[in-house]
Amino acid sequence: MPHLKVALSGPVWLAAFACAKMEKTHPAPEGVELLAVKSDGSQITAPSQYDPHKYRDVSNPTSTLGTFVHVMKSALGIGILSVPYAFKNGGLVFGVFGAFLFASLCSHSAHILVSTSYKICKKERIPVLGFAETVEKACANGPASVRALGTALRNIIDWYLMLTTVVVFIVFVGTTLREVVNYRTGWDWSDRTYILLVGVPILFITQIREIKYLVPFSAIAGFLILANIVISLVFIFQEPLSLENRRMLPTASTVAPYMGIVYFALDATCLIFPLENQMRHPQHYLGCPGIVNLNYLCLAILYSFFGAVGYIRYGDDVESSIILNFPTENVLVSCIQVLSAVAVLFSIGLIFYVPTEIAWKKLHTRVPKRWNGVAQSGLRLGMLAVNIAAACGIPHLGTFMGLLGAVLNPLLALWIPIVVDTVYRWPNDFGRLRWRLVKNFALCCFGLFLLVTGTISSVNNIIALYN
């Protein structure tokens, strides 16, 4: 609601007394400011006292620690097992530097989006905004030429996030368990059998509607991934490490694969707003140290250490997932595979939260209030059934989903935050020498580089699949 400014003439003390009396007898509605004026008619300026964080109505808010666990898990997945292979492409020096650089970029994107959303909420006196809503309102506050763009971007983001599937994760869990169980038991069960079996626990996990109650699942998943890392380090440190014939810097042809693996392993843009909006103390999300900064600092250290020692141990022989370098007959290798599958299984609830929440926001106004619970359960069940059917019926779907991610993730993770920051600050809020505008332009170019190289890599994978 726009502010209604009521100016009261007269001496300063009389105006202040009148304002206080008016607020006491007839409190101003939310969004209305009563401003006193000086005797010369000029207003006594005062900062707005509206704090969006105080007006949020969250029935089951998540604690700061719980949110940290979610943020850590959202950016720490089984992709870390591919980081030593990334270091093979990036080299040791650039690999470590890149891990910290890309962690900083992910943190920066989160800061841009959440801080801009907070400014818009404070300005327009709105308690909370989602990802797509922030983009739309940022454009609405920007130049006239981009205001129509906001609605289009909101629809694109909403539909992309709503159509985000868990098919790839379901397939990974099912096929990984098939490999381990069939290898250890001699059975010959198919991928579809395992996918349908893992669909049973997934059915119960995806019925959890509150992020707060998904914290234990994220904690277990994170613990299992850390256990994987520890077991992997056991294999890595079985022999002394040597830097002989190890690459320090990337070549022109290997820098892109390195960036693709590390950056997308760290990115968790789609969960920025769902996690922050459900916090009991959202002011702890950003800032110093803040959840986001502390999370990505820990991840940068972990990724750079694990990637470096893994590459030093196996050199150019390191595989796309480091567990492929371990002896398959060793029972610990099977443990790593099972732990990876279970970690992904426990992560599906958090991943599934985003599309179902967006879909429910679009549907809930059409459902009678007494049927909300049944309707939400039915929506989640229906969306999961579609995912399981796709996992069982569409071979090599993960390869094509990789192409979709290569095209849309750079847009979501870099370009959209840049658009939000640029249009909201336009035209004169870019700092000394307009350094923020220069920085945004550089990030835009980097996002274009990721888009092009990721698309080329995904297309090559599809061509190789059918050759």
Side-chain angles (χ1 to χ4, degrees):
M1 178 185 294
H3 293 184
L4 175 64
K5 298 183 180 180
V6 182
L8 306 177
S9 59
V12 174
W13 64 271
L14 183 59
F17 176 77
C19 285
K21 185 175 181 180
M22 181 180 293
E23 289 187 341
K24 183 175 181 180
T25 56
H26 302 287
E30 185 179 323
V32 176
E33 288 187 68
L34 302 177
L35 301 180
V37 296
K38 299 178 183 178
S39 57
D40 60 1
S42 61
Q43 293 179 353
I44 300 176
T45 59
S48 173
Q49 299 300 311
Y50 185 83
D51 184 356
H53 293 161
K54 296 180 180 179
Y55 290 88
R56 290 186 177 180
D57 183 19
V58 181
S59 56
N60 292 293
T62 311
S63 66
T64 300
L65 178 60
T67 304
F68 179 84
V69 171
H70 274 320
V71 174
M72 176 67 74
K73 176 59 203 72
S74 65
L76 176 62
I78 57 172
I80 192 173
L81 299 176
S82 299
V83 173
Y85 180 78
F87 271 61
K88 169 187 171 181
N89 291 295
L92 289 173
V93 174
F94 185 79
V96 172
F97 171 76
F100 282 89
L101 172 64
F102 297 141
S104 299
L105 284 179
C106 292
S107 177
H108 182 61
S109 294
H111 276 75
I112 287 176
L113 290 170
V114 175
S115 61
T116 304
S117 178
Y118 179 82
K119 293 173 187 176
I120 295 172
C121 287
K122 189 169 185 178
K123 179 180 178 180
E124 301 193 11
R125 294 184 173 242
I126 302 171
V128 66
L129 288 173
F131 189 180
E133 296 164 328
T134 297
V135 175
E136 182 181 37
K137 289 192 172 292
C139 291
N141 283 276
S145 57
V146 301
R147 289 173 188 169
L149 179 64
T151 302
L153 288 177
R154 173 177 180 169
N155 291 330
I156 291 171
I157 293 170
D158 265 346
W159 280 102
Y160 171 66
L161 294 179
M162 189 171 63
L163 295 176
T164 298
T165 67
V166 293
V167 174
V168 177
F169 302 97
I170 295 173
V171 170
F172 174 84
V173 175
T175 55
T176 301
L177 292 178
R178 178 190 62 79
E179 291 176 7
V180 176
V181 176
N182 285 4
Y183 175 76
R184 292 293 172 183
T185 63
W187 296 348
D188 192 26
W189 292 5
S190 67
D191 288 342
R192 290 183 176 87
T193 302
Y194 285 94
I195 288 172
L196 292 174
L197 287 174
V198 300
V200 176
I202 293 174
L203 171 63
F204 292 100
I205 294 173
T206 53
Q207 286 297 323
I208 300 174
R209 303 173 195 169
E210 302 287 348
I211 281 185
K212 175 181 179 179
Y213 302 128
L214 288 171
V215 170
F217 294 89
S218 291
I220 293 172
F223 174 79
L224 295 178
I225 292 173
L226 291 176
N228 270 355
I229 295 172
V230 171
I231 296 173
S232 299
L233 291 175
V234 171
F235 285 102
I236 290 172
F237 285 104
Q238 280 182 344
E239 297 179 9
L241 302 183
S242 173
L243 292 175
E244 185 179 359
N245 297 324
R246 299 299 184 255
R247 182 181 297 159
M248 295 293 145
L249 297 173
T251 63
S253 61
T254 60
V255 64
Y258 166 83
M259 291 182 176
I261 294 173
V262 176
Y263 183 72
F264 291 121
L266 288 166
D267 176 52
T269 305
C270 64
L271 287 166
I272 289 174
F273 282 98
L275 295 177
E276 193 269 347
N277 288 345
Q278 293 292 318
M279 288 186 67
R280 180 178 291 112
H281 302 292
Q283 61 271 21
H284 296 167
Y285 197 67
L286 303 181
C288 184
I291 289 175
V292 172
N293 287 340
L294 187 59
N295 170 77
Y296 278 109
L297 176 61
C298 294
L299 288 176
I301 295 172
L302 182 60
Y303 273 57
S304 58
F305 171 74
F306 186 72
V309 296
Y311 171 59
I312 292 173
R313 171 68 176 84
Y314 294 104
D316 290 339
D317 293 328
V318 67
E319 299 286 350
S320 57
S321 177
I322 197 169
I323 62 174
L324 298 176
N325 290 102
F326 304 152
T328 55
E329 67 278 4
N330 194 310
V331 69
L332 286 178
V333 176
S334 296
C335 289
I336 293 176
Q337 292 176 298
V338 172
L339 291 176
S340 297
V342 177
V344 172
L345 178 68
F346 282 130
S347 304
I348 286 178
L350 184 60
I351 300 166
F352 200 68
Y353 176 86
V354 176
T356 51
E357 278 300 295
I358 295 175
W360 177 244
K361 284 182 180 179
K362 293 182 178 295
L363 294 175
H364 80 279
T365 54
R366 305 177 186 179
V367 179
K369 192 171 183 179
R370 66 179 182 275
W371 295 106
N372 276 0
V374 175
Q376 283 197 60
S377 297
L379 173 66
R380 288 172 172 268
L381 180 60
M383 293 179 69
L384 177 61
V386 171
N387 280 272
I388 293 178
C392 290
I394 305 177
H396 311 304
L397 181 64
T399 304
F400 293 95
M401 293 299 297
L403 175 60
L404 183 64
V407 173
L408 293 178
N409 279 353
L411 302 180
L412 203 68
L414 272 180
W415 281 6
I416 294 300
I418 290 169
V419 168
V420 167
D421 189 56
T422 303
V423 300
Y424 189 78
R425 293 180 180 276
W426 193 269
N428 298 315
D429 189 23
F430 293 106
R432 188 176 182 85
L433 300 177
R434 301 173 76 83
W435 69 269
R436 286 191 177 92
L437 187 61
V438 175
K439 178 262 298 178
N440 287 350
F441 178 75
L443 291 179
C444 182
C445 293
F446 179 67
L448 179 62
F449 174 79
L450 288 177
L451 173 64
V452 172
T453 56
T455 302
I456 291 173
S457 176
S458 297
V459 170
N460 289 337
N461 290 338
I462 293 174
I463 294 173
L465 182 64
Y466 290 97
N467 279 343

